[in-house]
Amino acid sequence: MRRSPINVLVIDRTGLRAAVDIAGTGAFAGLSLTFAGDDGAINAATESADCVLAELADGPDAADAVLRRIRGHGIDAPVILVGHNATADEAVRFLRAGAADYLDITEIGALRLSCSVWNAVRAGNVVRRLAEAEGQQNRDAMHDGLTGLPNRQLFFDRLDMSMTLAEREGRSLALLMLDLNGLDAVTRAFGQATCDGLLRQVAERLRPMLRSSDALARLDDDEFAITLPTGASLTGAATAADKILDSVRQPYEVAGHSLTISANLGIALFPAHGARAGQIASRAEAAMRQAQQSEAAYVIYTGEGDSDGNGSPSLVHDLASAVERGEIALHYQPKVSMPQSRVCGVEALARWQHPTKGMICPDEFVPLAEQSGLIEPLTQWVLDASLTQLAAWRKSGLDLTISVNLSAKSLHSHDLAKRIEATLGALRLAPDTLMLEITESAIISDAPRARQTVAELHEMGIAISIDDFGTGYTSLSHVRELPVQEIKVDKSFVMNMAQTPDDRVIVGTLIELGHNLGLQVVAEGVENAGVWEMLNKLGCHIAQGYYMSKPLEADAVREWVANSPWGLAAGQA
Ligand code: C2E
Ligand code: CA
Ligand code: CA
């Protein structure tokens, strides 16, 4: 299959062309380079550029000047700036000015350059997908039936995407949690239909107050969330809060009744108040509760009233006993070896069945556990439960291996390797039946400590997989240094690769990179046969995704293995 390369327009002044030529990037990573110095040459390449690499001149406004010149040519592709000896502050300034990345000319090598290009292109894709998601017609399970607004799950998905994007562009982002008071009284006095009508009107009032990129969602009966993703500052967020509260408190006309309600609002900022979606959300919620208690219109998160600084107190409280109450369960998603079309293992994925809030996804409660010191007992429980299940399967002849996700914090625990060794020993499982999935960010957040834990696990014979591969962009060197056996290409690239040529190129390049590093390559998020075929042709080793199977309960795994075309019996035929 012919893969279309990423077209990189290189605007050089003095040394860039030589640096890029030496890197030999084109041949290595599926990049196609076009060099241009003058405006005529740039104009000729405008149409096809997927990404621009531009050399900076000297002087304080050089970045602005270069970016203006490029945009002036009508190019809206991401721009990577290349310079000499910029300080960290200067580099941040370039990113704030709108550059997708900054590279020092001495740093340019095939890996660094290609990672930077993929990620710049990917960030551009995220922007496009956010816009597409806005206009998407399918108002399915991801939307609240009453107001038509995104529900909790979709909201967390989008918050995560907005945060990735904001981080990439060096912007901050405000999350506003709005809680309505007095709905119970309305229901008691006028019935459920009137209360529903009121809620619909609240949504209708909020919607036009927000710019199209702003996300508005209904999280719970009387709780709404609003993200302001564009350059939100504290004052900007506070102004928005005033405007929202003012509007919500105006009287409503529903079914012949004139009704008023009050509301409180809590605000938290990314990145100032947290690095993960769950953390920001629980902090905005804590601020909202504080506003209710102190009868303030809104409160900006400060850490007070949230004594341990650990997010939503009630949810943390519930989480602390969730394991003991048996509310956490594991689901298992098959991994299928592509050459054999046959299951080779499963990944354990945690679920929390909350007694009143329903199913809470790990993207929400794992960060909460990390912030509140509950991650160690949770990780231990997940390891114990998944290995116990694996031992039972293997005893009954199901020859599977298991992958378990480790969060950054658990990798920093000093006795993780020892505890795993003890569990494996007690269950008489060989170490090579377990694989641990860690993310690139987990490795860089405390590299020396993480590296030591990984080394200990490796010495024990446990394999390590790099999860969400391709979403980090400075840490490839870490991956090369670590004793890693597997990379898992992130599902955000894989899911749409049939429709999105850019994603196809990225996945192809990541697989090639895996091959070059001698690693097993897994693609997650395989949702249809078309993607399976593409991956197979690209030489991907293992596939995982809804096309083969969603995550299943343990008993359903046994059934799936017996009956599915990818089951164990299929390969033995
Ligand atoms: P992950 O490790 O990247 O897991 C893959 C996620 O993608 C899972 O979501 C899975 O249900 C979903 N998925 C699988 N196939 C497809 C597909 O074809 N299409 C789409 N759209 N999605 C697919 P889930 O279970 O909600 O897990 C989310 C994340 O939570 C995981 O991402 C992992 O990072 C974390 N996590 C899950 N269980 C644990 C755990 O026990 N411990 C820790 N530390 N983290 C966990
Ligand atoms: Ca995983
Ligand atoms: Ca993943």
Side-chain angles (χ1 to χ4, degrees), residues 347 405 437 467-469 488-491 524:
E347 176 181 5
N405 293 281
E437 297 191 3
D467 206 348
D468 303 345
F469 193 71
K488 264 186 121 162
V489 178
D490 191 62
K491 61 177 180 289
E524 62 174 24

Side-chain angles (χ1 to χ4, degrees), residues 384-397:
D384 287 349
S386 56
L387 289 173
T388 304
Q389 182 59 60
L390 180 71
W393 278 329
R394 293 182 73 90
K395 213 166 164 192
S396 71

Side-chain angles (χ1 to χ4, degrees), residues 328-394:
I328 310 277
L330 289 178
H331 285 194
Y332 303 88
Q333 187 175 33
K335 286 168 79 178
V336 176
S337 150
M338 300 202 79
Q340 281 106 25
S341 285
R342 189 166 186 264
V343 62
C344 55
V346 294
E347 176 181 5
L349 294 157
R351 303 282 175 263
W352 180 12
Q353 189 62 47
H354 188 280
T356 56
K357 289 186 190 292
M359 178 88 93
I360 299 185
C361 59
D363 280 335
E364 193 174 351
F365 71 81
V366 169
L368 209 60
E370 285 203 301
Q371 296 151 36
S372 57
L374 292 168
I375 193 68
E376 275 209 24
L378 180 71
T379 305
Q380 189 61 46
W381 181 84
V382 169
L383 280 162
D384 287 349
S386 56
L387 289 173
T388 304
Q389 182 59 60
L390 180 71
W393 278 329
R394 293 182 73 90

Side-chain angles (χ1 to χ4, degrees), residues 92-154:
V92 168
R93 216 166 45 241
F94 301 153
L95 298 179
R96 279 193 204 286
D101 204 352
Y102 168 78
L103 299 178
D104 198 275
I105 197 152
T106 55
E107 227 191 321
I108 289 187
L111 278 179
R112 183 72 182 87
L113 184 55
S114 37
C115 285
S116 183
V117 168
W118 303 328
N119 279 288
V121 170
R122 173 173 189 268
N125 285 344
V126 173
V127 179
R128 224 189 19 250
R129 271 194 225 141
L130 273 174
E132 282 165 14
E134 258 343 298
Q136 215 172 30
Q137 281 306 300
N138 76 16
R139 316 206 64 77
D140 49 3
M142 301 295 254
H143 290 83
D144 164 42
L146 183 65
T147 60
L149 294 176
N151 64 12
R152 195 174 189 96
Q153 195 181 344
L154 181 57

